[in-house]
Amino acid sequence: MYVPRYKEKYDKEVIPALKEQFGFKSVMRVPKITKICLNQGLGKFGIADKKLVDVGVQEMTLISGQKAVPTKSKKDISNFKLRRGMPIGVRVTLRGDKMYEFLDRLVSVSIPRIRDFKGIS
């Protein structure tokens, strides 16, 4: 069975290093990532156009590799012409192997390009 690259690196390199550095006696005391939550608010455009929510769901599904869920408003806000139950965003919660795969893609592909683009060293 395939084990994600970052999960394998965490198990073989990071856990022993953290145990040694902080003096943990048990592996269970070492911190770990449990989930990654992604969300996207659609703003005032999501209220006006219902198809924009579907586009947001498709985008988040492509980015995360897992089906996204539309979020709905919890209360009425008259200044924004928002009613309870109207779709206002999209969210995804990643856990397990999908989480590590997403983290690997984020760190190795997306973040280095952002750093190079902005001229951050």
PDB file of all heavy atoms in Angstrom, residues 1-2 12 16-17 27 34-35 38 43 47 49 53 60 65 67 76 82-83 91 96 104 108 111 117 120:
ATOM      1  N   MET A   1       0.833  -1.182   0.000  1.00  0.00           N
ATOM      2  CA  MET A   1       0.000   0.000   0.000  1.00  0.00           C
ATOM      3  C   MET A   1       0.880   1.247   0.000  1.00  0.00           C
ATOM      4  O   MET A   1       1.933   1.294   0.620  1.00  0.00           O
ATOM      5  CB  MET A   1      -0.894   0.007   1.238  1.00  0.00           C
ATOM      6  CG  MET A   1      -1.905   1.098   1.238  1.00  0.00           C
ATOM      7  SD  MET A   1      -3.029   0.860   2.615  1.00  0.00           S
ATOM      8  CE  MET A   1      -3.485   2.525   2.897  1.00  0.00           C
ATOM      9  N   TYR A   2       0.448   2.273  -0.693  1.00  0.00           N
ATOM     10  CA  TYR A   2       1.202   3.511  -0.840  1.00  0.00           C
ATOM     11  C   TYR A   2       1.107   4.364   0.421  1.00  0.00           C
ATOM     12  O   TYR A   2       0.028   4.601   0.940  1.00  0.00           O
ATOM     13  CB  TYR A   2       0.672   4.290  -2.045  1.00  0.00           C
ATOM     14  CG  TYR A   2       1.298   5.643  -2.196  1.00  0.00           C
ATOM     15  CD1 TYR A   2       2.612   5.768  -2.627  1.00  0.00           C
ATOM     16  CD2 TYR A   2       0.591   6.789  -1.891  1.00  0.00           C
ATOM     17  CE1 TYR A   2       3.200   7.005  -2.770  1.00  0.00           C
ATOM     18  CE2 TYR A   2       1.168   8.033  -2.025  1.00  0.00           C
ATOM     19  CZ  TYR A   2       2.474   8.140  -2.466  1.00  0.00           C
ATOM     20  OH  TYR A   2       3.045   9.373  -2.588  1.00  0.00           O
ATOM     21  N   LYS A  12       9.725   8.698  10.107  1.00  0.00           N
ATOM     22  CA  LYS A  12      11.108   8.235  10.176  1.00  0.00           C
ATOM     23  C   LYS A  12      12.104   9.302  10.629  1.00  0.00           C
ATOM     24  O   LYS A  12      13.129   8.966  11.221  1.00  0.00           O
ATOM     25  CB  LYS A  12      11.533   7.688   8.822  1.00  0.00           C
ATOM     26  CG  LYS A  12      10.812   6.403   8.475  1.00  0.00           C
ATOM     27  CD  LYS A  12      11.309   5.819   7.184  1.00  0.00           C
ATOM     28  CE  LYS A  12      10.574   4.513   6.917  1.00  0.00           C
ATOM     29  NZ  LYS A  12      10.968   3.929   5.642  1.00  0.00           N
ATOM     30  N   PRO A  16      11.608  11.058  15.690  1.00  0.00           N
ATOM     31  CA  PRO A  16      12.817  10.871  16.510  1.00  0.00           C
ATOM     32  C   PRO A  16      13.530  12.193  16.845  1.00  0.00           C
ATOM     33  O   PRO A  16      14.038  12.360  17.957  1.00  0.00           O
ATOM     34  CB  PRO A  16      13.709   9.984  15.637  1.00  0.00           C
ATOM     35  CG  PRO A  16      12.781   9.284  14.721  1.00  0.00           C
ATOM     36  CD  PRO A  16      11.661  10.235  14.470  1.00  0.00           C
ATOM     37  N   ALA A  17      13.544  13.130  15.890  1.00  0.00           N
ATOM     38  CA  ALA A  17      14.202  14.410  16.149  1.00  0.00           C
ATOM     39  C   ALA A  17      13.472  15.200  17.237  1.00  0.00           C
ATOM     40  O   ALA A  17      14.108  15.793  18.119  1.00  0.00           O
ATOM     41  CB  ALA A  17      14.271  15.228  14.863  1.00  0.00           C
ATOM     42  N   VAL A  27       6.257   8.332  22.161  1.00  0.00           N
ATOM     43  CA  VAL A  27       5.952   8.814  20.812  1.00  0.00           C
ATOM     44  C   VAL A  27       4.607   9.544  20.790  1.00  0.00           C
ATOM     45  O   VAL A  27       4.400  10.470  20.003  1.00  0.00           O
ATOM     46  CB  VAL A  27       5.929   7.630  19.818  1.00  0.00           C
ATOM     47  CG1 VAL A  27       5.551   8.080  18.428  1.00  0.00           C
ATOM     48  CG2 VAL A  27       7.259   6.922  19.797  1.00  0.00           C
ATOM     49  N   THR A  34      -3.398  16.780  12.570  1.00  0.00           N
ATOM     50  CA  THR A  34      -4.573  15.913  12.570  1.00  0.00           C
ATOM     51  C   THR A  34      -5.511  16.205  11.407  1.00  0.00           C
ATOM     52  O   THR A  34      -6.162  15.304  10.898  1.00  0.00           O
ATOM     53  CB  THR A  34      -5.366  16.052  13.872  1.00  0.00           C
ATOM     54  OG1 THR A  34      -5.707  17.417  14.074  1.00  0.00           O
ATOM     55  CG2 THR A  34      -4.551  15.552  15.044  1.00  0.00           C
ATOM     56  N   LYS A  35      -5.587  17.484  10.994  1.00  0.00           N
ATOM     57  CA  LYS A  35      -6.462  17.812   9.876  1.00  0.00           C
ATOM     58  C   LYS A  35      -6.048  19.134   9.250  1.00  0.00           C
ATOM     59  O   LYS A  35      -5.374  19.947   9.877  1.00  0.00           O
ATOM     60  CB  LYS A  35      -7.921  17.897  10.319  1.00  0.00           C
ATOM     61  CG  LYS A  35      -8.224  19.020  11.286  1.00  0.00           C
ATOM     62  CD  LYS A  35      -9.677  19.004  11.685  1.00  0.00           C
ATOM     63  CE  LYS A  35      -9.947  20.065  12.747  1.00  0.00           C
ATOM     64  NZ  LYS A  35     -11.347  20.094  13.125  1.00  0.00           N
ATOM     65  N   LEU A  38      -9.810  23.725   4.667  1.00  0.00           N
ATOM     66  CA  LEU A  38      -9.780  24.722   3.600  1.00  0.00           C
ATOM     67  C   LEU A  38     -11.164  25.328   3.485  1.00  0.00           C
ATOM     68  O   LEU A  38     -12.161  24.610   3.552  1.00  0.00           O
ATOM     69  CB  LEU A  38      -9.415  24.073   2.268  1.00  0.00           C
ATOM     70  CG  LEU A  38      -8.140  23.252   2.214  1.00  0.00           C
ATOM     71  CD1 LEU A  38      -8.059  22.524   0.888  1.00  0.00           C
ATOM     72  CD2 LEU A  38      -6.952  24.139   2.406  1.00  0.00           C
ATOM     73  N   GLY A  43     -18.450  35.802  -0.773  1.00  0.00           N
ATOM     74  CA  GLY A  43     -18.767  37.218  -0.646  1.00  0.00           C
ATOM     75  C   GLY A  43     -20.122  37.590  -1.215  1.00  0.00           C
ATOM     76  O   GLY A  43     -21.041  36.778  -1.298  1.00  0.00           O
ATOM     77  N   ILE A  47     -24.079  35.555  -3.016  1.00  0.00           N
ATOM     78  CA  ILE A  47     -25.482  35.816  -2.697  1.00  0.00           C
ATOM     79  C   ILE A  47     -26.270  36.107  -3.965  1.00  0.00           C
ATOM     80  O   ILE A  47     -27.392  35.644  -4.144  1.00  0.00           O
ATOM     81  CB  ILE A  47     -25.592  37.005  -1.714  1.00  0.00           C
ATOM     82  CG1 ILE A  47     -24.904  36.645  -0.401  1.00  0.00           C
ATOM     83  CG2 ILE A  47     -27.035  37.383  -1.477  1.00  0.00           C
ATOM     84  CD1 ILE A  47     -24.706  37.822   0.518  1.00  0.00           C
ATOM     85  N   ASP A  49     -25.482  35.321  -7.241  1.00  0.00           N
ATOM     86  CA  ASP A  49     -25.477  34.277  -8.268  1.00  0.00           C
ATOM     87  C   ASP A  49     -25.312  32.909  -7.624  1.00  0.00           C
ATOM     88  O   ASP A  49     -24.272  32.605  -7.055  1.00  0.00           O
ATOM     89  CB  ASP A  49     -24.340  34.540  -9.260  1.00  0.00           C
ATOM     90  CG  ASP A  49     -24.390  33.622 -10.467  1.00  0.00           C
ATOM     91  OD1 ASP A  49     -25.406  32.925 -10.649  1.00  0.00           O
ATOM     92  OD2 ASP A  49     -23.414  33.614 -11.236  1.00  0.00           O
ATOM     93  N   VAL A  53     -21.697  29.299  -6.423  1.00  0.00           N
ATOM     94  CA  VAL A  53     -21.452  28.309  -5.374  1.00  0.00           C
ATOM     95  C   VAL A  53     -21.009  26.993  -6.007  1.00  0.00           C
ATOM     96  O   VAL A  53     -20.074  26.350  -5.526  1.00  0.00           O
ATOM     97  CB  VAL A  53     -22.710  28.103  -4.500  1.00  0.00           C
ATOM     98  CG1 VAL A  53     -22.499  26.993  -3.498  1.00  0.00           C
ATOM     99  CG2 VAL A  53     -23.074  29.397  -3.805  1.00  0.00           C
ATOM    100  N   MET A  60     -12.746  23.954  -5.314  1.00  0.00           N
ATOM    101  CA  MET A  60     -12.209  23.375  -4.081  1.00  0.00           C
ATOM    102  C   MET A  60     -12.036  21.865  -4.204  1.00  0.00           C
ATOM    103  O   MET A  60     -11.111  21.293  -3.631  1.00  0.00           O
ATOM    104  CB  MET A  60     -13.106  23.698  -2.893  1.00  0.00           C
ATOM    105  CG  MET A  60     -13.064  25.144  -2.485  1.00  0.00           C
ATOM    106  SD  MET A  60     -11.480  25.645  -1.844  1.00  0.00           S
ATOM    107  CE  MET A  60     -11.616  25.040  -0.194  1.00  0.00           C
ATOM    108  N   GLY A  65      -8.863  17.498  -3.892  1.00  0.00           N
ATOM    109  CA  GLY A  65      -8.988  16.090  -4.226  1.00  0.00           C
ATOM    110  C   GLY A  65     -10.097  15.399  -3.458  1.00  0.00           C
ATOM    111  O   GLY A  65     -10.170  14.176  -3.424  1.00  0.00           O
ATOM    112  N   LYS A  67     -14.447  15.968  -2.268  1.00  0.00           N
ATOM    113  CA  LYS A  67     -15.668  16.726  -2.542  1.00  0.00           C
ATOM    114  C   LYS A  67     -15.871  17.833  -1.521  1.00  0.00           C
ATOM    115  O   LYS A  67     -15.834  17.606  -0.318  1.00  0.00           O
ATOM    116  CB  LYS A  67     -16.867  15.783  -2.521  1.00  0.00           C
ATOM    117  CG  LYS A  67     -18.210  16.431  -2.782  1.00  0.00           C
ATOM    118  CD  LYS A  67     -18.446  16.627  -4.242  1.00  0.00           C
ATOM    119  CE  LYS A  67     -19.921  16.912  -4.488  1.00  0.00           C
ATOM    120  NZ  LYS A  67     -20.164  18.247  -4.927  1.00  0.00           N
ATOM    121  N   ASP A  76     -29.662  35.978   9.645  1.00  0.00           N
ATOM    122  CA  ASP A  76     -30.015  37.026   8.689  1.00  0.00           C
ATOM    123  C   ASP A  76     -29.164  38.264   8.953  1.00  0.00           C
ATOM    124  O   ASP A  76     -28.980  38.667  10.101  1.00  0.00           O
ATOM    125  CB  ASP A  76     -31.482  37.422   8.832  1.00  0.00           C
ATOM    126  CG  ASP A  76     -32.433  36.250   8.587  1.00  0.00           C
ATOM    127  OD1 ASP A  76     -31.998  35.263   7.991  1.00  0.00           O
ATOM    128  OD2 ASP A  76     -33.600  36.356   8.984  1.00  0.00           O
ATOM    129  N   LEU A  82     -28.679  39.238   3.176  1.00  0.00           N
ATOM    130  CA  LEU A  82     -28.382  37.836   3.446  1.00  0.00           C
ATOM    131  C   LEU A  82     -29.464  37.244   4.336  1.00  0.00           C
ATOM    132  O   LEU A  82     -29.842  37.841   5.337  1.00  0.00           O
ATOM    133  CB  LEU A  82     -27.016  37.732   4.140  1.00  0.00           C
ATOM    134  CG  LEU A  82     -26.507  36.350   4.487  1.00  0.00           C
ATOM    135  CD1 LEU A  82     -26.211  35.577   3.212  1.00  0.00           C
ATOM    136  CD2 LEU A  82     -25.248  36.468   5.321  1.00  0.00           C
ATOM    137  N   ARG A  83     -29.951  36.092   3.976  1.00  0.00           N
ATOM    138  CA  ARG A  83     -30.966  35.390   4.766  1.00  0.00           C
ATOM    139  C   ARG A  83     -30.389  34.083   5.276  1.00  0.00           C
ATOM    140  O   ARG A  83     -29.469  33.515   4.681  1.00  0.00           O
ATOM    141  CB  ARG A  83     -32.207  35.107   3.922  1.00  0.00           C
ATOM    142  CG  ARG A  83     -32.870  36.347   3.373  1.00  0.00           C
ATOM    143  CD  ARG A  83     -33.548  37.141   4.483  1.00  0.00           C
ATOM    144  NE  ARG A  83     -33.966  38.444   4.016  1.00  0.00           N
ATOM    145  CZ  ARG A  83     -33.496  39.591   4.453  1.00  0.00           C
ATOM    146  NH1 ARG A  83     -32.552  39.617   5.366  1.00  0.00           N
ATOM    147  NH2 ARG A  83     -33.924  40.739   3.980  1.00  0.00           N
ATOM    148  N   ARG A  91     -16.350  24.638   1.869  1.00  0.00           N
ATOM    149  CA  ARG A  91     -15.316  24.157   2.785  1.00  0.00           C
ATOM    150  C   ARG A  91     -14.994  22.692   2.537  1.00  0.00           C
ATOM    151  O   ARG A  91     -15.814  21.935   2.013  1.00  0.00           O
ATOM    152  CB  ARG A  91     -15.726  24.347   4.236  1.00  0.00           C
ATOM    153  CG  ARG A  91     -16.842  23.447   4.673  1.00  0.00           C
ATOM    154  CD  ARG A  91     -17.221  23.730   6.122  1.00  0.00           C
ATOM    155  NE  ARG A  91     -18.460  23.054   6.452  1.00  0.00           N
ATOM    156  CZ  ARG A  91     -18.521  21.904   7.095  1.00  0.00           C
ATOM    157  NH1 ARG A  91     -17.423  21.301   7.483  1.00  0.00           N
ATOM    158  NH2 ARG A  91     -19.675  21.342   7.352  1.00  0.00           N
ATOM    159  N   GLY A  96      -5.931  12.275   7.323  1.00  0.00           N
ATOM    160  CA  GLY A  96      -5.248  11.054   6.896  1.00  0.00           C
ATOM    161  C   GLY A  96      -4.340  11.244   5.693  1.00  0.00           C
ATOM    162  O   GLY A  96      -3.631  12.243   5.569  1.00  0.00           O
ATOM    163  N   ASP A 104       1.941  17.947   0.933  1.00  0.00           N
ATOM    164  CA  ASP A 104       3.098  17.739   0.075  1.00  0.00           C
ATOM    165  C   ASP A 104       3.006  18.618  -1.173  1.00  0.00           C
ATOM    166  O   ASP A 104       3.967  19.305  -1.539  1.00  0.00           O
ATOM    167  CB  ASP A 104       3.190  16.267  -0.314  1.00  0.00           C
ATOM    168  CG  ASP A 104       4.441  15.926  -1.089  1.00  0.00           C
ATOM    169  OD1 ASP A 104       5.364  16.763  -1.138  1.00  0.00           O
ATOM    170  OD2 ASP A 104       4.496  14.818  -1.652  1.00  0.00           O
ATOM    171  N   SER A 108       5.646  21.711  -1.741  1.00  0.00           N
ATOM    172  CA  SER A 108       6.639  21.500  -2.792  1.00  0.00           C
ATOM    173  C   SER A 108       6.314  22.226  -4.097  1.00  0.00           C
ATOM    174  O   SER A 108       7.226  22.556  -4.847  1.00  0.00           O
ATOM    175  CB  SER A 108       6.823  20.012  -3.064  1.00  0.00           C
ATOM    176  OG  SER A 108       5.616  19.440  -3.491  1.00  0.00           O
ATOM    177  N   ILE A 111       3.940  26.871  -2.586  1.00  0.00           N
ATOM    178  CA  ILE A 111       4.622  27.854  -1.743  1.00  0.00           C
ATOM    179  C   ILE A 111       5.971  28.301  -2.320  1.00  0.00           C
ATOM    180  O   ILE A 111       6.257  29.491  -2.301  1.00  0.00           O
ATOM    181  CB  ILE A 111       4.740  27.330  -0.300  1.00  0.00           C
ATOM    182  CG1 ILE A 111       3.343  27.291   0.305  1.00  0.00           C
ATOM    183  CG2 ILE A 111       5.673  28.203   0.526  1.00  0.00           C
ATOM    184  CD1 ILE A 111       3.280  26.771   1.705  1.00  0.00           C
ATOM    185  N   PHE A 117       7.942  34.436  -6.724  1.00  0.00           N
ATOM    186  CA  PHE A 117       7.194  35.487  -7.409  1.00  0.00           C
ATOM    187  C   PHE A 117       7.273  36.805  -6.664  1.00  0.00           C
ATOM    188  O   PHE A 117       7.444  37.852  -7.254  1.00  0.00           O
ATOM    189  CB  PHE A 117       5.735  35.042  -7.552  1.00  0.00           C
ATOM    190  CG  PHE A 117       4.869  36.088  -8.216  1.00  0.00           C
ATOM    191  CD1 PHE A 117       5.007  36.347  -9.566  1.00  0.00           C
ATOM    192  CD2 PHE A 117       3.931  36.794  -7.498  1.00  0.00           C
ATOM    193  CE1 PHE A 117       4.222  37.296 -10.182  1.00  0.00           C
ATOM    194  CE2 PHE A 117       3.143  37.738  -8.106  1.00  0.00           C
ATOM    195  CZ  PHE A 117       3.280  37.991  -9.456  1.00  0.00           C
ATOM    196  N   ILE A 120      10.716  37.112  -2.160  1.00  0.00           N
ATOM    197  CA  ILE A 120      11.038  36.865  -0.747  1.00  0.00           C
ATOM    198  C   ILE A 120      12.180  35.871  -0.693  1.00  0.00           C
ATOM    199  O   ILE A 120      12.186  34.866  -1.383  1.00  0.00           O
ATOM    200  CB  ILE A 120       9.809  36.315   0.007  1.00  0.00           C
ATOM    201  CG1 ILE A 120       8.664  37.308  -0.081  1.00  0.00           C
ATOM    202  CG2 ILE A 120      10.150  35.999   1.443  1.00  0.00           C
ATOM    203  CD1 ILE A 120       7.344  36.756   0.419  1.00  0.00           C
TER     204      ILE A 120
END
